[in-house]
Amino acid sequence: MGKTVKVLLSAAGVMAASALLLLAGAALVLSKAGLMPWDLLPLLATALCCAAVFAGGLTASLLSGERGLWYGLGCGALFAACLGAAAFFTGQTLGPAALGKLAALLLSGAIGGVLGVNRKKRVKF
């Protein structure tokens, strides 16, 4: 198995785990609060998914040490493909908002990848 496949599989695991924890935590907080911001729910879900993709892009670039932008974009595309497949199998239609969500996922993955590659190893004083 190639290095790229191993890196993307590891990043996919990080994305899945962080998305699960973030979305479950938000659901718990919203259910305990007793008020549900129905208008803001899609925006909140998108922001939490972007945080998960950021973590995946960061992980991929830290593991590989190179090509952070491409690994980050790959993580965003993988997450978007999973969301698209889930929408397809549940019979939902993809509207114009899906393009905005796709752009946000790709951008957050790319930022995570670039920051992971450009991270300083050690701070010297």
Side-chain angles (χ1 to χ4, degrees):
M1 195 182 299
K3 179 182 177 182
T4 303
V5 174
K6 288 180 184 179
V7 166
L8 285 178
L9 285 176
S10 299
V14 168
M15 283 189 302
S18 60
L20 177 71
L21 291 174
L22 287 170
L23 291 172
L28 180 68
V29 167
L30 288 175
S31 67
K32 292 293 181 182
L35 55 121
M36 185 68 76
W38 292 106
D39 295 339
L40 296 178
L41 206 54
L43 184 63
L44 177 65
T46 301
L48 294 175
C49 288
C50 285
V53 172
F54 176 84
L58 187 70
T59 302
S61 64
L62 287 175
L63 289 176
S64 71
E66 60 187 12
R67 298 184 304 192
L69 177 66
W70 296 112
Y71 279 123
L73 288 172
C75 288
L78 179 64
F79 200 89
C82 291
L83 288 179
F88 175 76
F89 287 121
T90 58
Q92 296 177 353
T93 59
L94 297 177
L99 289 177
K101 186 178 280 194
L102 173 66
L105 290 172
L106 291 175
L107 184 64
S108 62
I111 291 171
V114 168
L115 289 179
V117 167
N118 292 327
R119 181 179 73 87
K120 298 267 188 205
K121 300 293 184 216
R122 195 182 303 183
V123 177
K124 294 182 181 181
F125 291 100

